[in-house]
Amino acid sequence: MTAVRQAGAKPIGTCTLYEIDIPVTFKVYPADYDFTVYEARTGTALTSFSLHGDQTVKQSCPGGMHLVGSERFGRMIQPDTLAARVRNLITRTV
């Protein structure tokens, strides 16, 4: 993953996490993720692409946190979505 971008101004939900039993609520925003795939042997870039986050808000909430200021969470990508996008790069023969 080379970058993540907020893909909309309006939050799609919230995550409530706890810092020493104190609830802290963060907004979850639509997000786009940029990827570049490299050939492992040579380091040559094979392709670049973007994917839009497609997990539910609940799936996108982290399991824990360390407070470092005002954080925003982006909607995450389903593992199957990413796997489908790169499958042909993994299974192809040279």
Side-chain angles (χ1 to χ4, degrees), residues 2 4-5 7 9 15 24 26 29 39 41 51-52 56 59 66-67 79 83 85 88 91 94:
T2 57
V4 60
R5 296 180 312 283
C15 292
V24 181
F26 297 94
Y29 288 85
E39 201 273 332
R41 186 172 38 86
L51 292 174
H52 190 69
T56 66
Q59 290 171 321
H66 298 285
L67 292 175
R85 184 61 178 83
N88 69 330
T91 58
V94 179

Short mmCIF file of all heavy atoms in Angstrom, two decimals, residues 2 4-5 7 9 15 24 26 29 39 41 51-52 56 59 66-67 79 83 85 88 91 94:
data_model
loop_
_atom_site.label_atom_id
_atom_site.label_comp_id
_atom_site.label_asym_id
_atom_site.label_seq_id
_atom_site.Cartn_x
_atom_site.Cartn_y
_atom_site.Cartn_z
N THR A 2 0.65 2.13 -0.93
CA THR A 2 1.48 3.32 -1.03
C THR A 2 0.81 4.57 -0.48
O THR A 2 1.50 5.53 -0.14
CB THR A 2 1.87 3.58 -2.50
OG1 THR A 2 0.67 3.69 -3.28
CG2 THR A 2 2.71 2.44 -3.04
N VAL A 4 -3.20 6.15 1.42
CA VAL A 4 -4.63 6.06 1.76
C VAL A 4 -5.16 7.49 1.77
O VAL A 4 -4.50 8.41 2.25
CB VAL A 4 -4.85 5.34 3.11
CG1 VAL A 4 -4.17 6.06 4.26
CG2 VAL A 4 -6.33 5.16 3.39
N ARG A 5 -6.35 7.65 1.18
CA ARG A 5 -6.95 8.98 1.07
C ARG A 5 -8.39 8.94 1.58
O ARG A 5 -9.12 8.00 1.29
CB ARG A 5 -6.98 9.44 -0.39
CG ARG A 5 -5.65 9.63 -1.02
CD ARG A 5 -5.77 10.09 -2.48
NE ARG A 5 -6.69 9.32 -3.29
CZ ARG A 5 -6.43 8.12 -3.80
NH1 ARG A 5 -5.29 7.53 -3.57
NH2 ARG A 5 -7.33 7.49 -4.54
N ALA A 7 -12.03 9.62 1.16
CA ALA A 7 -12.75 9.67 -0.12
C ALA A 7 -14.11 10.35 -0.03
O ALA A 7 -14.94 10.19 -0.90
CB ALA A 7 -12.91 8.26 -0.67
N ALA A 9 -16.30 13.74 2.40
CA ALA A 9 -16.30 14.66 3.54
C ALA A 9 -17.24 14.21 4.65
O ALA A 9 -17.10 14.62 5.80
CB ALA A 9 -16.69 16.06 3.07
N CYS A 15 -16.60 4.75 15.49
CA CYS A 15 -16.00 3.69 16.30
C CYS A 15 -15.87 4.24 17.71
O CYS A 15 -15.39 5.36 17.89
CB CYS A 15 -14.60 3.34 15.82
SG CYS A 15 -14.50 2.57 14.22
N VAL A 24 -13.88 6.72 23.84
CA VAL A 24 -13.45 7.75 22.89
C VAL A 24 -14.06 7.37 21.55
O VAL A 24 -13.87 6.25 21.07
CB VAL A 24 -11.92 7.83 22.79
CG1 VAL A 24 -11.50 8.92 21.83
CG2 VAL A 24 -11.30 8.05 24.16
N PHE A 26 -14.52 7.96 17.45
CA PHE A 26 -13.87 8.47 16.26
C PHE A 26 -14.80 8.27 15.07
O PHE A 26 -15.55 7.30 15.02
CB PHE A 26 -12.56 7.72 15.99
CG PHE A 26 -11.55 7.89 17.06
CD1 PHE A 26 -11.44 6.99 18.10
CD2 PHE A 26 -10.69 8.98 17.03
CE1 PHE A 26 -10.50 7.15 19.09
CE2 PHE A 26 -9.74 9.15 18.02
CZ PHE A 26 -9.64 8.23 19.05
N TYR A 29 -14.56 7.37 7.85
CA TYR A 29 -14.82 8.02 6.57
C TYR A 29 -14.60 7.04 5.42
O TYR A 29 -13.83 6.09 5.55
CB TYR A 29 -13.86 9.20 6.38
CG TYR A 29 -14.18 10.37 7.28
CD1 TYR A 29 -13.70 10.42 8.58
CD2 TYR A 29 -14.97 11.40 6.82
CE1 TYR A 29 -14.00 11.49 9.41
CE2 TYR A 29 -15.28 12.47 7.64
CZ TYR A 29 -14.80 12.50 8.93
OH TYR A 29 -15.10 13.56 9.75
N GLU A 39 7.64 -7.10 -8.45
CA GLU A 39 8.14 -8.45 -8.66
C GLU A 39 9.21 -8.68 -7.59
O GLU A 39 10.14 -7.89 -7.43
CB GLU A 39 8.74 -8.56 -10.07
CG GLU A 39 8.83 -9.98 -10.59
CD GLU A 39 10.10 -10.69 -10.18
OE1 GLU A 39 11.11 -10.02 -9.98
OE2 GLU A 39 10.07 -11.91 -10.08
N ARG A 41 11.63 -10.86 -7.08
CA ARG A 41 13.01 -11.17 -7.46
C ARG A 41 13.78 -9.94 -7.93
O ARG A 41 14.93 -9.73 -7.57
CB ARG A 41 13.02 -12.24 -8.55
CG ARG A 41 14.39 -12.75 -8.92
CD ARG A 41 14.33 -13.95 -9.88
NE ARG A 41 13.29 -13.88 -10.88
CZ ARG A 41 13.41 -13.27 -12.07
NH1 ARG A 41 14.53 -12.70 -12.40
NH2 ARG A 41 12.41 -13.26 -12.92
N LEU A 51 -8.10 0.90 -4.73
CA LEU A 51 -9.31 0.20 -4.30
C LEU A 51 -10.06 1.09 -3.31
O LEU A 51 -9.44 1.80 -2.51
CB LEU A 51 -8.96 -1.13 -3.62
CG LEU A 51 -8.38 -2.22 -4.49
CD1 LEU A 51 -7.96 -3.41 -3.64
CD2 LEU A 51 -9.36 -2.65 -5.56
N HIS A 52 -11.38 1.03 -3.39
CA HIS A 52 -12.24 1.77 -2.47
C HIS A 52 -12.54 0.86 -1.28
O HIS A 52 -12.84 -0.32 -1.45
CB HIS A 52 -13.53 2.18 -3.19
CG HIS A 52 -14.36 3.13 -2.42
ND1 HIS A 52 -13.99 4.43 -2.18
CD2 HIS A 52 -15.55 2.96 -1.81
CE1 HIS A 52 -14.92 5.03 -1.47
NE2 HIS A 52 -15.87 4.16 -1.23
N THR A 56 -17.55 -3.14 6.38
CA THR A 56 -18.54 -2.41 7.17
C THR A 56 -17.81 -1.48 8.13
O THR A 56 -16.61 -1.61 8.37
CB THR A 56 -19.40 -3.38 7.99
OG1 THR A 56 -18.58 -4.02 8.98
CG2 THR A 56 -20.09 -4.42 7.11
N GLN A 59 -16.33 -3.53 10.97
CA GLN A 59 -15.12 -4.23 10.58
C GLN A 59 -13.93 -3.28 10.46
O GLN A 59 -12.78 -3.69 10.62
CB GLN A 59 -15.31 -4.94 9.23
CG GLN A 59 -16.23 -6.12 9.27
CD GLN A 59 -16.54 -6.63 7.86
OE1 GLN A 59 -16.72 -5.84 6.93
NE2 GLN A 59 -16.59 -7.94 7.72
N HIS A 66 -3.80 3.84 20.45
CA HIS A 66 -2.92 4.69 21.25
C HIS A 66 -3.28 6.11 20.85
O HIS A 66 -3.19 6.47 19.68
CB HIS A 66 -1.45 4.42 20.93
CG HIS A 66 -1.04 3.03 21.24
ND1 HIS A 66 -0.82 2.60 22.52
CD2 HIS A 66 -0.81 1.96 20.45
CE1 HIS A 66 -0.48 1.33 22.50
NE2 HIS A 66 -0.48 0.92 21.24
N LEU A 67 -3.71 6.90 21.80
CA LEU A 67 -4.14 8.26 21.47
C LEU A 67 -2.95 9.14 21.12
O LEU A 67 -1.99 9.22 21.86
CB LEU A 67 -4.90 8.88 22.65
CG LEU A 67 -6.25 8.25 22.96
CD1 LEU A 67 -6.84 8.86 24.21
CD2 LEU A 67 -7.20 8.42 21.79
N PRO A 79 -10.45 -8.45 2.68
CA PRO A 79 -9.31 -9.23 2.19
C PRO A 79 -9.58 -9.89 0.83
O PRO A 79 -8.69 -9.94 -0.03
CB PRO A 79 -9.10 -10.28 3.28
CG PRO A 79 -9.63 -9.63 4.52
CD PRO A 79 -10.81 -8.80 4.06
N ALA A 83 -7.38 -9.69 -2.64
CA ALA A 83 -6.91 -10.97 -3.21
C ALA A 83 -7.37 -11.13 -4.65
O ALA A 83 -6.59 -11.55 -5.51
CB ALA A 83 -7.39 -12.13 -2.35
N ARG A 85 -7.98 -8.82 -6.76
CA ARG A 85 -7.29 -7.84 -7.62
C ARG A 85 -5.88 -8.29 -7.99
O ARG A 85 -5.38 -7.99 -9.05
CB ARG A 85 -7.27 -6.49 -6.91
CG ARG A 85 -6.66 -5.36 -7.71
CD ARG A 85 -7.46 -5.13 -9.00
NE ARG A 85 -6.94 -4.03 -9.76
CZ ARG A 85 -5.91 -4.12 -10.62
NH1 ARG A 85 -5.29 -5.25 -10.80
NH2 ARG A 85 -5.51 -3.07 -11.28
N ASN A 88 -4.25 -12.75 -10.32
CA ASN A 88 -3.62 -13.07 -11.61
C ASN A 88 -2.12 -12.77 -11.58
O ASN A 88 -1.34 -13.42 -12.28
CB ASN A 88 -4.28 -12.32 -12.76
CG ASN A 88 -4.04 -10.82 -12.71
OD1 ASN A 88 -3.87 -10.24 -11.64
ND2 ASN A 88 -4.04 -10.20 -13.86
N THR A 91 -0.62 -15.95 -9.63
CA THR A 91 -0.76 -17.27 -10.24
C THR A 91 -0.22 -17.37 -11.66
O THR A 91 -0.09 -18.46 -12.19
CB THR A 91 -2.23 -17.71 -10.26
OG1 THR A 91 -3.00 -16.75 -10.99
CG2 THR A 91 -2.77 -17.83 -8.85
N VAL A 94 5.61 -17.09 -15.92
CA VAL A 94 6.43 -16.20 -16.75
C VAL A 94 6.71 -16.82 -18.09
O VAL A 94 6.89 -17.95 -18.29
CB VAL A 94 7.76 -15.88 -16.03
CG1 VAL A 94 8.61 -14.96 -16.89
CG2 VAL A 94 7.48 -15.26 -14.70
#
